[in-house]
Amino acid sequence: QVRDRLKQQVVEMKERFPGFRPGLAILQVGNRDDSNLYINMKLKAAAEIGISANHIKLPNTATEADVLKCIASLNADPAVHGFIVQLPLDSDKPINTEKITNAVAPEKDVDGLSSINAGKLSRGDLGDCFIPCTPKGCMELIRQTGVQVTGKRAVVIGRSKIVGAPMHDLLLWNNATVTTCHSKTSTLAEEVGKADILVVAAGKAEMVKGEWIKPGAIVIDCGINHVPDSTKASGKRVVGDVAYNTAKEKASYITPVPGGVGPMTVAMLMQSTVESAQRFLEKFQPGKWAVQYNQLNLKMPVPSDIEISQSCVPKPIEQVASEVGLLPDEVEPYGQTKAKVQLSALNRLKNQPDGKYVVVTGITPTPLGEGKSTTTVGLVQALGAHLHQNVFACVRQPSQGPTFGIKGGAAGGGYCQVVPMEEFNLHLTGDIHAITAANNLVAAAIDARMFHELTQSDQALYNRLVPSVNGVRKFSDIQIRRLQKLGINKTDPTALTKEEINAFVRLDIDPGTITWQRVLDTNDRFLRKITIGQSPTEKGFSRTAQFDITVSSEIMAVLALADGLDDMKKRFGRMVVASSKKGQPVTADDLGVTGALAVLMKDAIKPNLMQTLEGTPVFVHAGPFANIAHGNSSVLADKIALKLVGKDGFVVTEAGFGADIGMEKFFDIKCRYSGLRPHVVVLVATVRALKMHGGGPAVTAGVPLPKEYTEENLQLLANGCSNLNKQIQNARLFGVPVVVAVNAFKTDTKAELALVVQKAKEAGAFDAVECTHWAEGGKGALALARAVQRASQAPSNFRFLYNTELPVVDKIRLIAQQVYGARDVELLPEAQEKVAIYTKQGFGNLPICMAKTHLSLSHDPEQKGAPTGFVLPIRDIRASVGAGFLYPLVGTMSTMPGLPTRPCFYDIDLDPVSGGVNGLF
């Protein structure tokens, strides 16, 4: 009856919440036969009822720490509504059973063995605790007799924590008069004779005699004992604690052994699991997060970003992780406010549906930026803290160079920030430092290899590359790959011919073709061109080289596009660093450095978890340049976030620079490799930038804005909307609905904001809304959030701009003509030569990553608005083969920024009192 009732309840749960199932976990230590038997009974009952049961079996070598770690993981798993630790614990190591049972979260302790549940039972809080399954089953049997417990005299023999003690409490709070007896009770027969209800759990075979029992009593026998019996094949039989044959003559009801209390115990375990699942559903909707949002204390005028950030008390990062459904063993805290997330989370969630995918981009910006990061944060705060949707922001990690240079921080601004912003803007968890180390290891390997090849014979090189250790020579795995690449199918180092040894040891790098540079995460213009190898020890082998900013390294782009550790390692191996003098590409795998790069980057590949001012979760991961790379945060962060938010949730990510650069690369490179499909484009526009595009004076960082930007000028604004129109068209090229977010500044007038909204809608935007999130936090982006929700339900016919099988020049031309508005492209001789080389080397089918100015749709930063009819000059083309794209260089640009006259670091210092960071960032 109980099982049938539970089965029906589970069916009703599934009807109300499709895809939901009550979850039971059974943790076993060791391999006792009796435990295996009981667990199989429980698993079978769970399957019959429709409960998802998981049996976790630890070896008998498991330590107490191993068991506690497993319990912590189960406590945090939202799919587990109840779990039990099968007792006894069969371990070779000493384990404190009390400590183990008390480690189980009380709300999942369906065995009712924790001190908290026992305490609630003893106080009579029966509706707010779990009752041990055997006493609970005994009470159900008593109820089935129809006899009222109230006022009856009950005797319980036994005082164990599992049966006797809780049975006493249960009868007492059901209004019986209860006596507990035990092995030291001197008048046991007399006490038994008074009992209307007798529950025996003493563990002694047939200790209660039939003649002791009061006529008409209810007898519940919880004992299981083995006694000799020569008639049985096993030589023994199972009996209870009551002499059944004589007791049944006097009792009105009696449970048999076996087959009485045992099955009811299992049924009550199932009932408690279903009850726990029902409590879970009352408190949470499946897939719906229970997030503690932070209330903003808005001030006018708006304080500095760092003042706002430091006035916020972030939640412990473990709490943020728990709120979004991450398990404890999937989270590696770095202090109190940031953590790495293990990639195992993605594997655990692989069968979960993805949420809605939103990309935030912008019109062609002024040098001051138009607030994409601020809008990204404002949108997720609105969706999460105000509309109570599951939502994740996925943003890039900023480079330390611009932070101390001219740009300052990139955590958003005003009341829309990732916090703590000083942690976000500085070292975070060290990913950029790991990239610096990995990149410079490759650079060192290139020059060292050229040096050794120039100063040693083939045999000397071979002896050092494949040394004899204890008289044995052996190729490493990476050397086997090089041999296979050369067509040498040999694994015995002594079997190579002289010609094969020559091919193996000589990369024969042409110094003039080296494209791999050293990097540093600091703006230092004097490293843009340097001479290396000037020490006498380098024997005159010097060459001209340069330093780039770390975030321009191909390793950063690989990190952002990899979909796992194995994929990242393969991409590292494919990175082309130079060509040989015969024109063959030389890769990191050829240098033998791939495995070392993977080791240096093994932690950097894990996304970083942080939070916004209002307590919504953020992944901060990877930060590739938006010109020579694709300018988007990592694929892995997006994939994990999409699984965590669930099918009705949102993941909001940001594409660097304007829509013509970052958004196009997001679609044609990131989405192509990730397989993810976006639902909505949010296009950020400002009155300031549109006035600039309409012919307004130049906007310069650190210089007050001319009056054209602080006074109403509708004509200037209308002229500049040509850029807005073009960027809306660019988004619609890819078949995705566009919502325009008009980021309002205090100098904007109502008429100006209304004009931008009108022009955006006329240009084909799904919707356009005014936003005041910088000053109001998520509340100021509510209209945007609702528009994004509506747009996410609209049809999205996503498509790529080009087929990668097209010739390189045709792909470049398609981007130039359809996205930038160019009439045609012109490849200069160096670029034409690179097209021929890369096509010959087999790289012609890679996507295109255009490296051009972000200050104009054209190649000329002075051309504003939406220029047309121009010819786009392609100065050179380079290859990031590991990342997986070719990047044409449009005009000249530096990959090592310089410091301005007055860098941001003038305003940054430690607070002499608190020791915290003071400054503007």
Side-chain angles (χ1 to χ4, degrees):
Q1 290 173 7
V2 172
R3 290 185 182 188
D4 287 345
R5 185 181 73 242
L6 294 176
K7 192 184 299 185
Q8 182 57 37
Q9 289 175 358
V10 171
V11 168
E12 290 169 3
M13 284 185 198
K14 291 178 180 178
E15 289 173 351
R16 285 182 58 210
F17 302 101
F20 179 81
R21 289 180 73 188
L24 171 67
I26 303 171
L27 176 58
Q28 179 185 10
V29 179
N31 194 36
R32 283 175 60 118
D33 290 339
D34 54 350
S35 292
N36 292 333
L37 177 63
Y38 298 145
I39 289 169
N40 286 335
M41 290 168 57
K42 293 165 187 175
L43 294 174
K44 184 179 178 182
E48 179 187 326
I49 291 165
I51 293 171
S52 175
N54 182 21
H55 179 199
I56 302 101
K57 198 169 188 176
L58 300 180
N60 60 6
T61 56
T63 64
E64 186 173 272
D66 295 331
V67 181
L68 290 171
K69 182 180 178 182
C70 188
I71 289 174
S73 178
L74 292 168
N75 282 340
D77 189 344
V80 174
H81 307 107
F83 84 87
I84 66 169
V85 179
Q86 184 69 41
L87 300 178
L89 300 169
D90 178 25
S91 176
D92 296 342
K93 306 292 190 296
I95 297 180
N96 185 329
T97 301
E98 184 83 2
K99 187 175 181 180
I100 295 302
T101 54
N102 279 324
V104 178
E107 66 273 15
K108 296 187 178 187
D109 174 29
V110 288
D111 248 350
L113 298 182
S114 68
S115 296
I116 289 176
N117 278 317
K120 287 182 176 180
L121 173 59
S122 69
R123 290 188 348 184
D125 297 335
L126 303 188
D128 188 35
C129 72
F130 284 111
I131 298 163
C133 297
T134 299
K136 189 173 183 177
C138 292
M139 280 304 301
E140 185 67 23
L141 287 167
I142 294 167
R143 289 192 190 100
Q144 288 291 321
T145 68
V147 175
Q148 292 297 313
V149 175
T150 299
K152 295 294 188 294
R153 184 181 292 274
V155 172
V156 178
I157 302 178
R159 51 186 173 178
S160 73
K161 295 176 183 178
I162 296 176
V163 183
M167 192 71 233
H168 172 280
D169 294 336
L170 199 52
L171 286 163
L172 180 67
W173 292 111
N174 277 275
N175 302 310
T177 301
V178 188
T179 301
T180 296
C181 298
H182 45 76
S183 59
K184 300 291 191 283
T185 302
S186 59
T187 57
L188 185 58
E190 182 182 335
E191 297 297 337
V192 169
K194 299 175 185 177
D196 301 312
I197 300 169
L198 177 65
V199 181
V200 187
K204 292 186 178 181
E206 299 182 328
M207 69 171 287
V208 176
K209 309 306 178 186
E211 56 268 25
W212 296 357
I213 294 170
K214 180 179 179 180
I218 298 171
V219 179
I220 308 292
D221 188 350
C222 303
I224 297 180
N225 309 282
H226 294 90
V227 296
D229 188 337
S230 59
T231 66
K232 301 291 184 182
S234 62
K236 56 187 178 180
R237 61 187 170 89
V238 176
V239 299
D241 291 351
V242 178
Y244 180 79
N245 289 330
T246 54
K248 71 178 181 178
E249 301 302 327
K250 300 187 74 173
S252 58
Y253 296 91
I254 185 168
T255 57
V257 177
V261 172
M264 282 303 296
T265 298
V266 175
M268 290 303 103
L269 174 63
M270 302 301 119
Q271 181 167 310
S272 292
T273 302
V274 172
E275 288 172 358
S276 181
Q278 288 169 333
R279 292 177 191 176
F280 175 84
L281 290 175
E282 289 170 7
K283 191 174 181 182
F284 312 105
Q285 293 180 40
K288 196 75 173 175
W289 297 342
V291 177
Q292 175 191 319
Y293 297 110
N294 299 330
Q295 292 288 332
L296 295 178
N297 180 22
L298 301 177
K299 294 181 180 180
M300 290 298 291
V302 177
S304 71
D305 289 351
I306 197 161
E307 285 180 77
I308 293 171
S309 175
Q310 292 181 344
S311 69
C312 165
V313 179
K315 295 176 289 188
I317 200 64
E318 291 94 338
Q319 179 182 338
V320 177
S322 175
E323 288 174 344
V324 302
L326 288 165
L327 306 184
D329 58 1
E330 294 169 345
V331 181
E332 299 174 14
Y334 279 60
Q336 296 296 311
T337 56
K338 53 192 177 181
K340 284 282 187 188
V341 173
Q342 295 272 10
L343 303 189
S344 58
L346 184 57
N347 186 58
R348 174 175 64 87
L349 298 165
K350 62 185 177 183
N351 294 322
Q352 295 290 330
D354 287 345
K356 306 291 186 183
Y357 199 25
V358 180
V359 60
V360 176
T361 184
I363 62 171
T364 304
T366 68
L368 304 179
E370 309 318 307
K372 291 194 309 297
S373 298
T374 305
T375 302
T376 298
V377 176
L379 175 56
V380 298
Q381 289 183 165
L383 285 166
H386 297 268
L387 297 180
H388 304 292
Q389 301 295 304
N390 292 359
V391 62
F392 238 108
C394 291
V395 299
R396 290 181 294 167
Q397 180 183 354
S399 167
Q400 196 170 275
T403 296
F404 287 118
I406 195 169
K407 183 177 184 291
Y415 288 103
C416 298
Q417 297 186 51
V418 180
V419 291
M421 62 101 77
E422 59 269 39
E423 299 279 349
F424 176 90
N425 283 307
L426 295 176
H427 308 284
L428 197 58
T429 57
D431 294 351
I432 291 181
H433 301 317
I435 292 165
T436 303
N439 183 98
N440 292 344
L441 179 63
V442 177
I446 293 168
D447 289 302
R449 186 58 176 261
M450 289 194 300
F451 174 80
H452 292 307
E453 287 187 24
L454 286 166
T455 56
Q456 296 181 54
S457 67
D458 289 356
Q459 192 60 50
L461 279 170
Y462 193 61
N463 290 342
R464 286 176 171 83
L465 287 170
V466 193
S468 176
V469 179
N470 297 324
V472 178
R473 275 187 168 183
K474 185 180 179 182
F475 290 123
S476 66
D477 290 344
I478 202 166
Q479 290 175 327
I480 293 288
R481 290 203 297 273
R482 172 151 175 80
L483 289 168
Q484 291 170 344
K485 179 179 176 180
L486 294 168
I488 302 171
N489 297 312
K490 296 178 180 179
T491 56
D492 180 1
T494 63
L496 268 63
T497 66
K498 287 185 178 181
E499 291 76 14
E500 289 169 340
I501 288 174
N502 173 267
F504 174 74
V505 301
R506 300 273 170 199
L507 299 182
D508 203 20
I509 294 171
D510 180 352
T513 66
I514 295 172
T515 55
W516 196 271
Q517 309 298 343
R518 288 164 172 83
V519 297
L520 188 69
D521 194 33
T522 301
N523 289 5
D524 191 344
R525 65 192 316 127
F526 288 93
L527 293 177
R528 290 172 178 170
K529 189 172 184 179
I530 60 172
T531 302
I532 60 172
Q534 292 190 321
S535 169
T537 55
E538 273 48 77
K539 303 179 182 180
F541 297 114
S542 63
R543 68 180 181 91
T544 300
Q546 69 186 56
F547 269 82
D548 294 337
I549 193 87
T550 296
V551 291
S552 71
S553 169
E554 185 176 352
I555 290 177
M556 175 65 90
V558 167
L559 174 67
L561 289 170
D563 71 359
L565 193 57
D566 288 343
D567 182 49
M568 181 176 71
K569 184 176 175 182
K570 289 174 184 174
R571 288 173 180 268
F572 285 159
R574 294 197 298 265
M575 293 188 305
V576 174
V577 300
S579 293
S580 71
K581 290 173 183 174
K582 293 180 179 178
Q584 295 300 310
V586 177
T587 66
D589 228 32
D590 293 326
L591 287 167
V593 76
T594 305
L597 297 180
V599 169
L600 285 169
M601 293 293 292
K602 68 180 177 64
D603 291 318
I605 197 172
K606 304 167 190 171
N608 304 296
L609 180 66
M610 295 187 76
Q611 61 192 292
T612 67
L613 281 168
E614 295 193 51
T616 57
V618 181
F619 274 139
V620 184
H621 199 215
F625 251 25
N627 47 25
I628 68 164
H630 61 294
N632 289 270
S633 59
S634 79
V635 165
L636 277 169
D638 290 1
K639 284 189 170 183
I640 295 172
L642 283 164
K643 295 297 183 187
L644 287 169
V645 299
K647 67 182 181 67
D648 296 321
F650 291 83
V651 170
V652 182
T653 189
E654 177 192 343
F657 293 159
D660 54 309
I661 301 179
M663 183 196 70
E664 184 272 321
K665 295 173 183 179
F666 172 82
F667 290 144
D668 278 325
I669 298 176
K670 184 175 181 180
C671 290
R672 196 185 297 268
Y673 281 121
S674 71
L676 300 174
R677 297 295 177 260
H679 294 82
V680 185
V681 170
V682 172
L683 184 70
V684 180
T686 62
V687 168
R688 177 181 69 193
L690 292 173
K691 284 182 174 179
M692 178 191 72
H693 287 296
V699 175
T700 307
V703 177
L705 287 171
K707 64 180 178 62
E708 286 86 349
Y709 297 101
T710 58
E711 298 175 0
E712 186 175 285
N713 190 327
L714 296 178
Q715 187 57 55
L716 190 67
L717 179 61
N719 294 343
C721 283
S722 60
N723 186 271
L724 173 65
N725 295 352
K726 177 57 179 165
Q727 298 289 32
I728 291 171
Q729 290 172 22
N730 284 342
R732 295 185 68 194
L733 272 176
F734 297 89
V736 184
V738 186
V739 174
V740 174
V742 185
N743 188 15
F745 294 177
K746 62 183 179 181
T747 54
D748 301 339
T749 68
K750 289 186 179 298
E752 287 174 330
L753 294 168
L755 179 61
V756 178
V757 168
Q758 176 194 331
K759 292 289 187 182
K761 291 179 179 178
E762 290 173 356
F766 177 89
D767 202 351
V769 295
E770 177 188 339
C771 304
T772 55
H773 46 275
W774 180 80
E776 297 183 296
K779 177 185 172 185
L782 270 170
L784 175 62
R786 292 189 177 105
V788 167
Q789 282 183 303
R790 292 192 302 273
S792 72
Q793 303 300 323
S796 176
N797 302 308
F798 177 71
R799 55 188 173 269
F800 299 120
L801 183 64
Y802 54 83
N803 187 324
T804 55
E805 301 299 315
L806 289 172
V808 172
V809 177
D810 289 355
K811 289 181 283 193
I812 295 172
R813 184 177 289 112
L814 272 171
I815 297 171
Q817 291 178 335
Q818 295 199 34
V819 178
Y820 306 156
R823 175 171 56 83
D824 203 354
V825 296
E826 179 187 13
L827 271 69
L828 301 185
E830 192 170 356
Q832 293 177 23
E833 181 184 348
K834 291 292 181 63
V835 169
I837 290 172
Y838 293 143
T839 302
K840 181 181 177 182
Q841 291 179 340
F843 306 141
N845 290 342
L846 292 175
I848 299 298
C849 182
M850 299 290 280
K852 79 168 188 72
T853 178
H854 63 291
L855 297 174
S856 171
L857 281 162
S858 75
H859 57 286
D860 180 0
E862 301 304 316
Q863 282 196 301
K864 304 302 181 183
T868 58
F870 58 92
V871 174
L872 192 75
I874 308 299
R875 178 173 60 85
D876 194 4
I877 301 177
R878 294 178 187 167
S880 287
V881 179
F885 51 74
L886 302 178
Y887 59 100
L889 302 180
V890 182
T892 58
M893 64 187 65
S894 173
T895 48
M896 172 54 82
L899 290 173
T901 305
R902 192 183 194 283
C904 291
F905 59 64
Y906 274 69
D907 301 303
I908 298 171
D909 202 349
L910 290 176
D911 187 289
V913 178
S914 69
V917 177
N918 280 341
L920 298 180
F921 278 112

